[in-house]
Amino acid sequence: MAIALDSRPMRDVTAWNQLKTNRNWLAIWFMLPAAAFLILFLAYPLGLGVWLSFTDARLGRDGIFVGFENYEYLWEDSIFWLSVFNTLLYTSVASIIKFAVGLYLALLLNERLPFKAIIRAVVLIPFIVPTVLSAIAFWWLFDPQFSIISWSLKKMGLITANIDFLGDVWNARWSVIFANIWRGVPFVAITLLAGLQTVSPSLYEAATIDGATTWQRFRYITYPLLTPIIAVVMTFSVLFTFTDFQLIWVMTRGGPVNATHLMATFSYQRAIMSGYLGEGAAISTAMIPFLLGAILVSWFGLQRRKWQQGESND
Amino acid sequence: MSYLTRRALVKGGTAVAAASVLTGPALLEWAKAWAQNAPWKPEKGAKLSMLRWKYFVQAEDDAFVKLIEAFSKATGVPVEISRESYEDVQPKASVAANTGTGPDLFWGLYSLPHLFPQKCMDVSDVTDYLGKKYGGWVESAVQYGKSGNKWICVPICYSGNMVNYRLEASKKAGFSKIPDKTDGFLEYAKAMKKNNTPGGFALGHASGDGNGWVHWCLWSHGGNTVDKADKVIINSPETAKALEYAKALYAEMIPGVASWNDASNNKAFLAGEINWTDNGISIYVAAQKDPTKKNIAEDMDHSFWPTGPIGKPTELHLMYPVLGMTYTKYPQACKALMAFMLEADNFNPWIESAQGYLTHCLNAYDKNPVWTADPKRAPFREAAKRSLTAGGLGSVGEKAATAIADFVVLDMFANYCTGREDVKGSIAIADRQLKRIYR
């Protein structure tokens, strides 16, 4: 072999030739399209957003670097802190209730029910309806003058005046949280149901023979086996809720008196409506630590299993 | 839809009104003659594109399309029209001005040209020509139109925002019309609530109706966001007085106004839930169109805003200017189109088709039959004359527009009226926001 090689005319092996054939580099070539896609559509916009937050850019005009000026302003802006509070309240209350109701529904749907397939499909409806449409429906349900809820209660003689759902600070907060829960429960329920169906029936049979109660079966079989799914589903649920925009924008536009402004709607208001792109970007960037925090909590808190690393459960 | 009534014809002794019935072939003939004599000759091979705000009344847009068709036929210049919701024209125009490409003409909201005055064509010759021909421009239009000594846009029209009220209920409360002073208006609101026929103004983030009434309230009591030099002066005893007045008025309103957007009061008024509010003419037009609401159309009227302690009208109406971008390849065609739009033979039928939604900025059009055909439209005729400019005493530029878009004044009133903040607190929040906007 060596002799044969030597007899060939010498040719320079360029670095490019090596890169073309090197097996280790081959992997990089295959990953390149995906990487380009991620950089172009994820990393670049994210980086640009962070960069904008350090400038005084206005809509339609480049800004200059102003360091932390936007953040300093927001730090003392009472509306910003109100929006942070609103977002945390909205996310925590809605997520907890969505989880509880979703889990309950999933357990229920996992039982032998008549018309099981239809019921499962029906449960998904709130999730299928476009958010803007359901938000408009809720906007009517909570209308200060035309609310069917107020109307029914009045007809039943339980109240005398219309309930001011979206005009009162706390009423408005609970109303939008309710709408979010209504919309988010199906996602949690259906995903958890999928998780439940992966639990082997033989485990329940064994436990039943051992005399375990319903609660014990749930606590020691269902719950531990469901944890990975719960972690995933709750991470998504928290992320979606935290970054919610459409529901709020359609129902209240952040009102009354900014009582339902989430960080996302507030960012839009400052960046697009008022044209302060830099400040709006700073508000969006301020959401990142919260989101990272939420991801870390669910990843490390809820999920201690090695399942994540692809090893068998222990 | 033709407004050729006997009355219009009789009145049509003036050239202005008679011209308003020009349609079809007659309009084209006229347009051709106009193109021959117009001071602006479109460039060879010129074609234009225009981005305009999206219509509120279909009839207005139909009339506008007709007008543009006549222009194209007479001058041979095709015009491409695109429409955006009125809040979205501004960002698009800003980007176009910044990048130097996009539609040649933008027709947007009040302070739009002042966001990039150096990118707007100087149209002083067009406005001079129109002003001389049609009885001069109203004061607020001059303010919106000029940057320094030159005109950077052509003010086309206003959309008025007036007090809407029910006649029967007001009479029962002892008022034949809306009182012309703010004190009287508060008494009116009290009497109306007492009779269980309350009304209300929007305190939610309602760009039109909400901003309309809080600026009226602030200005009528002598409060101002900034002075002539754009220095923030919101923190004043006058502002505090305006807030106190608004809170007293709020107490007499129907519950729920804090959540109202621009559509809420229309719905509530048309359902008979409220008996006074502020709005354009849309409630009235909607009531006329709907056979089941005829009684509401008959039993309602419009009124100017009451004047406050400072003793003169302090109203805020929306202005719609059209501007040409300096990057256009066909400036003469742009100018010809702008002038063409406001010529009596085009403008009269167009403003008529808007049924009172839109108010002219050139004095001669006071004679348009749209204002006399139905006396209930009459207050809207004065919208342009009574309007102050965005920003009050201050400049009409970007800063004023930002303050309005960010609901600074509206939130200040909402904060105090709903009891979230005291007087000092709500003024302080607005003061801080304004100082940042006007720095």
Side-chain angles (χ1 to χ4, degrees):
Chain A
M1 279 295 267
I3 299 158
L5 256 180
D6 284 346
S7 67
R8 265 202 217 159
M10 285 295 285
R11 197 176 53 162
D12 282 340
V13 180
T14 60
W16 174 241
N17 282 334
Q18 270 187 334
L19 286 186
K20 271 200 297 191
T21 48
N22 187 315
R23 284 209 151 230
N24 293 326
W25 274 91
L26 197 63
I28 301 228
W29 294 129
F30 281 131
M31 280 193 296
L32 207 60
F37 194 81
L38 288 177
I39 289 168
L40 194 63
F41 294 108
L42 281 172
Y44 172 70
L46 186 68
L48 187 66
V50 175
W51 162 249
L52 277 176
S53 73
F54 291 112
T55 70
D56 64 353
R58 302 285 313 253
L59 207 57
R61 173 179 340 147
D62 294 336
I64 51 161
F65 183 77
V66 292
F68 284 93
E69 210 268 7
N70 286 321
Y71 293 95
E72 279 164 24
Y73 177 78
L74 288 174
W75 188 261
E76 283 165 25
D77 188 0
S78 58
I79 306 177
F80 171 72
W81 287 112
L82 185 64
S83 77
V84 173
F85 167 77
N86 291 337
T87 313
L88 293 178
L89 177 85
Y90 185 76
T91 310
S92 49
V93 174
S95 299
I96 290 170
I97 299 183
K98 273 192 276 194
F99 172 66
V101 178
L103 182 61
Y104 176 72
L105 259 181
L107 291 171
L108 215 60
L109 290 174
N110 203 30
E111 299 291 316
R112 286 181 191 284
L113 289 170
F115 309 111
K116 194 157 77 174
I118 292 177
I119 294 175
R120 282 181 187 174
V122 166
V123 165
L124 266 178
I125 284 178
F127 194 61
I128 296 165
V129 179
T131 313
V132 172
L133 289 188
S134 47
I136 290 175
F138 272 104
W139 181 55
W140 275 100
L141 282 176
F142 294 140
D143 189 280
Q145 270 77 46
F146 305 100
S147 165
I148 186 149
I149 305 168
S150 298
W151 182 83
S152 318
L153 291 175
K154 265 205 307 206
K155 287 281 166 196
M156 285 190 270
L158 294 174
I159 54 171
T160 52
N162 281 344
I163 302 171
D164 192 1
F165 286 106
L166 298 177
D168 175 82
V169 169
W170 279 100
N171 281 357
R173 283 184 184 140
W174 296 129
S175 301
V176 290
I177 287 174
F178 180 83
N180 180 279
I181 292 170
W182 178 84
R183 208 189 132 60
V185 159
F187 170 71
V188 180
I190 295 295
T191 321
L192 291 183
L193 179 63
L196 282 178
Q197 292 182 337
T198 62
V199 180
S200 161
S202 57
L203 293 172
Y204 292 116
E205 282 162 20
T208 315
I209 292 166
D210 288 344
T213 62
T214 317
W215 169 249
Q216 282 169 329
R217 266 178 291 161
F218 172 76
R219 173 67 190 83
Y220 296 105
I221 300 175
T222 314
Y223 177 70
L225 289 178
L226 213 52
T227 332
I229 299 281
I230 291 176
V232 173
V233 100
M234 286 319 289
T235 309
F236 276 109
S237 178
V238 166
L239 295 191
F240 289 152
T241 317
F242 197 91
T243 55
D244 197 6
F245 175 85
Q246 298 179 58
L247 265 180
I248 301 287
W249 198 250
V250 172
M251 287 173 69
T252 65
R253 288 211 160 192
V257 237
N258 303 316
T260 56
H261 247 321
L262 301 187
M263 291 168 85
T265 54
F266 189 51
S267 163
Y268 180 81
Q269 154 107 38
R270 282 275 157 92
I272 308 295
M273 301 280 286
S274 316
Y276 278 98
L277 221 47
E279 202 178 306
I283 299 168
S284 312
T285 308
M287 294 167 77
I288 296 175
F290 290 103
L291 293 173
L292 280 179
I295 294 172
L296 293 182
V297 165
S298 56
W299 235 228
F300 293 109
L302 282 172
Q303 194 172 317
R304 294 190 209 99
R305 318 193 132 259
K306 289 185 182 166
W307 167 86
Q308 201 188 343
Q309 285 88 41
E311 291 175 27
S312 60
N313 290 338
D314 57 7
Chain B
M1 192 186 300
S2 168
Y3 287 92
L4 185 56
T5 58
R6 192 183 62 85
R7 182 195 283 231
L9 270 183
V10 173
K11 293 226 166 194
T14 63
V16 173
S20 72
V21 297
L22 268 189
T23 46
L27 177 62
L28 180 59
E29 282 310 306
W30 176 85
K32 275 187 179 150
W34 182 87
Q36 297 268 310
N37 300 321
W40 303 278
K41 304 275 177 252
E43 295 81 354
K44 259 214 166 118
K47 50 183 183 197
L48 296 177
S49 57
M50 178 196 256
L51 179 67
R52 65 160 290 182
W53 49 281
K54 195 159 186 176
Y55 54 86
F56 304 113
V57 226
Q58 180 69 44
E60 178 268 301
D61 197 62
D62 294 343
F64 181 69
V65 168
K66 240 185 238 162
L67 183 160
I68 294 294
E69 276 170 4
F71 177 80
S72 295
K73 277 189 189 148
T75 57
V77 178
V79 184
E80 189 196 324
I81 312 270
S82 39
R83 298 166 183 82
E84 287 285 346
S85 140
Y86 73 91
E87 285 163 329
D88 294 336
V89 177
Q90 178 178 320
K92 295 221 163 169
S94 300
V95 172
N98 214 29
T99 55
T101 60
D104 306 285
L105 295 150
F106 280 91
W107 188 8
L109 273 195
Y110 42 101
S111 45
L112 177 67
H114 294 272
L115 302 188
F116 35 80
Q118 68 290 358
K119 303 279 172 71
C120 301
M121 275 166 51
D122 179 354
V123 290
S124 305
D125 48 347
V126 181
T127 51
D128 274 359
Y129 165 85
L130 290 167
K132 278 190 192 123
K133 197 165 174 185
Y134 295 109
W137 297 95
V138 300
E139 176 53 33
S140 61
V142 177
Q143 291 209 27
Y144 275 126
K146 275 178 142 176
S147 173
N149 282 327
K150 60 178 192 183
W151 288 73
I152 54 169
C153 64
V154 178
I156 302 290
C157 58
Y158 273 88
S159 122
N161 180 292
M162 297 286 177
V163 179
N164 291 221
Y165 64 105
R166 294 290 292 265
L167 295 167
E168 188 68 32
S170 303
K171 262 196 203 105
K172 262 192 204 147
F175 294 83
S176 58
K177 59 185 177 63
I178 294 289
D180 54 4
K181 292 277 181 297
T182 42
D183 291 343
F185 186 66
L186 183 57
E187 292 310 312
Y188 168 79
K190 277 185 187 155
M192 289 294 273
K193 180 160 191 202
K194 212 169 158 197
N195 278 357
N196 214 12
T197 53
F201 292 143
L203 261 182
H205 283 174
S207 309
D209 300 337
N211 275 320
W213 91 266
V214 294
H215 282 90
W216 156 76
C217 188
L218 178 69
W219 291 337
S220 65
H221 288 81
N224 272 293
T225 49
V226 289
D227 65 8
K228 283 199 174 93
D230 276 350
K231 189 170 153 270
V232 177
I233 52 163
I234 189 79
N235 192 355
S236 69
E238 287 81 11
T239 305
K241 258 185 234 156
L243 287 173
E244 295 298 351
Y245 178 82
K247 188 158 196 173
L249 197 59
Y250 175 73
E252 309 303 328
M253 295 183 195
I254 194 167
V257 292
S259 69
W260 277 8
N261 63 18
D262 274 312
S264 307
N265 59 345
N266 296 48
K267 286 190 299 178
F269 199 99
L270 285 169
E273 295 275 332
I274 55 168
N275 294 269
W276 58 264
T277 189
D278 69 313
N279 208 54
I281 206 164
S282 52
I283 293 180
Y284 181 59
V285 172
Q288 277 180 317
K289 273 192 196 143
D290 184 347
T292 61
K293 309 273 186 225
K294 272 271 183 295
N295 61 321
I296 293 183
E298 276 158 25
D299 183 49
M300 72 177 285
D301 204 349
H302 306 103
S303 159
F304 296 137
W305 292 86
T307 52
I310 69 158
K312 55 179 185 188
T314 50
E315 300 171 5
L316 177 65
H317 305 291
L318 282 184
M319 211 275 277
Y320 297 92
V322 67
L323 65 93
M325 290 288 189
T326 45
Y327 60 66
T328 179
K329 283 188 221 147
Y330 313 109
Q332 293 298 314
C334 286
K335 285 183 179 181
L337 178 60
M338 290 179 186
F340 187 82
M341 280 170 72
L342 279 165
E343 289 282 8
D345 300 72
N346 298 315
F347 192 74
N348 268 316
W350 177 71
I351 199 111
E352 271 199 77
S353 67
Q355 302 161 58
Y357 276 90
L358 303 176
T359 307
H360 51 272
C361 321
L362 282 160
N363 290 316
Y365 293 115
D366 280 350
K367 297 199 194 90
N368 188 294
V370 70
W371 307 120
T372 39
D374 183 344
K376 288 184 181 175
R377 291 177 187 157
F380 288 93
R381 177 176 59 195
E382 313 299 324
K385 290 194 190 101
R386 295 172 67 91
S387 185
L388 302 185
T389 48
L393 301 175
S395 64
V396 292
E398 175 179 34
K399 293 165 178 171
T402 303
I404 288 187
D406 213 10
F407 304 111
V408 176
V409 176
L410 187 55
D411 277 349
M412 177 177 76
F413 276 89
N415 266 326
Y416 184 56
C417 289
T418 58
R420 256 189 66 86
E421 296 279 344
D422 58 8
V423 174
K424 269 192 188 153
S426 31
I427 295 181
I429 295 173
D431 189 53
R432 191 166 175 274
Q433 277 180 285
L434 286 169
K435 279 187 178 142
R436 181 169 168 87
I437 293 170
Y438 280 94
R439 66 185 166 170

